[in-house]
Amino acid sequence: MSSLEALSDRIASARDLQSIVRVMKSLSAVSIRQYQDAAQRLRAAQRIVDLGFHALLASGSFRWRQAGQPAGGQGLVVMGSDRGLCGRFNEAVVDRAAALMRAAPMAGPRIPILAVGARAAARLGAAGLEPDTIFFQPGSAAGLTGTAESILVAVEDWQTALGIERVTVVFNAATPTGGTDQRAEVLVPVDPATLDALARGPWPTRQLPMTQGDPDAVFSALMRERLFIALMRAGAESLAAEHATRLRAMQAAEKNITEKLDDLDATFRRTRQEEITTELMDIVAAYAIVGEGAGGA
């Protein structure tokens, strides 16, 4: 294969890779908006649930019994990704989870871990934190519901079978500056200060609504709904951060590929011109030889 043919193949491969990168960049840009909108709606839904807590606690029909530090064990939910090309997305969230594990007092044989995302699970295993349960990330905002339901069932199993009283979710969230921040939010138990603030705060309208049914049952239903929404929101923020990280990686890759293509195109033109010049010189030299032979004859 000549040098020009080899250069042509390299240019074609680079252009194919550039097309793939552009498609992935477009998909990530669209997905970011999808998950950001989902997270915003879920934050609004959580405010509605908090208003339900407010109405119940302010009515006096239910007395919040503040507990001390959880005496049972602890569990950890780690949200990462199933796909790569997103920099240190999984490494960063696993590092935060490992730091929490080191700081957590051991109330049992070990802390159970649930991983969302195959790559996050692999990173946890490499760090010596083998997850007990692995779920795949949903492929769209609509799939957050099923994932949150599965996690909620697993958490309830922990509480029943292992006596887990404290569960923390660790996930990446996008920052206003375009980076990611590793967050750790306690899912259960709910912060007593939060409920106390809701009970004492002013109601947004003149009339406090009435709650129907057994107050304990209403409180339990609201608590489960709050946990469910918190899991969905964490998943939405994690996926938005993942696609934002991948978008930045694809933008950097596209820039590098464009620069490489410019270099390859310049090399191709230079090499082609050199070959043309060499061929012309060969033709001129051959013509001169032929002319000398004809003159001698």
Side-chain angles (χ1 to χ4, degrees), residues 168-228:
T168 303
V169 58
V170 185
F171 61 97
N172 286 301
T175 62
T177 58
T180 57
D181 182 33
Q182 292 72 52
R183 297 183 183 174
E185 295 184 3
V186 177
L187 297 173
V188 289
V190 68
D191 183 10
T194 300
L195 294 181
D196 287 341
L198 288 174
R200 296 192 181 96
W203 184 255
T205 64
R206 294 182 179 180
Q207 183 66 40
L208 186 69
M210 296 178 61
T211 58
Q212 294 182 341
D214 178 60
D216 287 337
V218 173
F219 182 84
S220 296
L222 287 171
M223 190 64 72
R224 194 178 194 280
E225 189 67 19
R226 195 177 198 274
L227 175 58
F228 178 69

Side-chain angles (χ1 to χ4, degrees), residues 247-268:
L247 176 61
R248 289 194 301 274
M250 293 302 101
Q251 288 171 336
E254 185 179 33
K255 180 184 176 187
N256 291 336
I257 292 170
T258 300
E259 292 175 352
K260 185 65 176 178
L261 274 171
D262 290 341
D263 291 340
L264 287 172
D265 285 337
T267 302
F268 181 86

Side-chain angles (χ1 to χ4, degrees), residues 16-239:
D16 289 342
L17 183 58
Q18 187 181 53
S19 298
I20 295 171
V21 166
R22 284 175 175 170
V23 170
M24 294 183 67
K25 189 177 74 170
S26 299
L27 289 173
S28 290
V30 172
S31 298
I32 290 169
R33 184 64 180 174
Q34 173 190 178
Y35 293 118
Q36 285 176 337
D37 289 345
Q40 185 175 357
R41 291 194 298 270
L42 288 163
R43 282 191 287 269
Q46 185 166 322
R47 286 194 291 271
I48 294 172
V49 173
D50 286 345
L51 286 175
F53 277 117
H54 188 166
L56 177 65
L57 296 171
S59 68
S61 61
F62 179 83
R63 188 66 59 182
W64 166 244
R65 295 179 295 275
Q66 181 170 330
Q69 284 294 107
Q74 301 189 54
L76 200 61
V77 177
V78 181
M79 293 189 171
S81 75
D82 283 320
R83 292 167 291 277
L85 300 176
C86 50
R88 294 193 71 258
F89 184 86
N90 292 292
E91 288 87 339
V93 76
V94 169
D95 288 346
R96 182 64 186 276
L100 286 176
M101 293 280 283
R102 289 192 296 268
M106 296 297 290
R110 65 182 299 275
I111 295 177
I113 301 174
L114 186 153
V116 182
R119 288 183 177 266
R123 293 297 308 180
L124 284 166
L129 306 173
E130 196 67 39
D132 302 83
T133 308
I134 302 172
F135 293 139
F136 291 112
Q137 278 283 17
S140 65
L144 289 168
T145 302
T147 302
E149 287 176 346
S150 298
I151 297 173
L152 190 55
V153 169
V155 168
E156 290 174 345
D157 288 343
W158 286 353
Q159 292 173 321
T160 302
L162 304 176
I164 298 298
E165 294 186 11
R166 183 183 182 90
V167 178
T168 303
V169 58
V170 185
F171 61 97
N172 286 301
T175 62
T177 58
T180 57
D181 182 33
Q182 292 72 52
R183 297 183 183 174
E185 295 184 3
V186 177
L187 297 173
V188 289
V190 68
D191 183 10
T194 300
L195 294 181
D196 287 341
L198 288 174
R200 296 192 181 96
W203 184 255
T205 64
R206 294 182 179 180
Q207 183 66 40
L208 186 69
M210 296 178 61
T211 58
Q212 294 182 341
D214 178 60
D216 287 337
V218 173
F219 182 84
S220 296
L222 287 171
M223 190 64 72
R224 194 178 194 280
E225 189 67 19
R226 195 177 198 274
L227 175 58
F228 178 69
I229 291 172
L231 285 168
M232 287 187 65
R233 177 181 51 78
E237 292 194 20
S238 176
L239 284 163

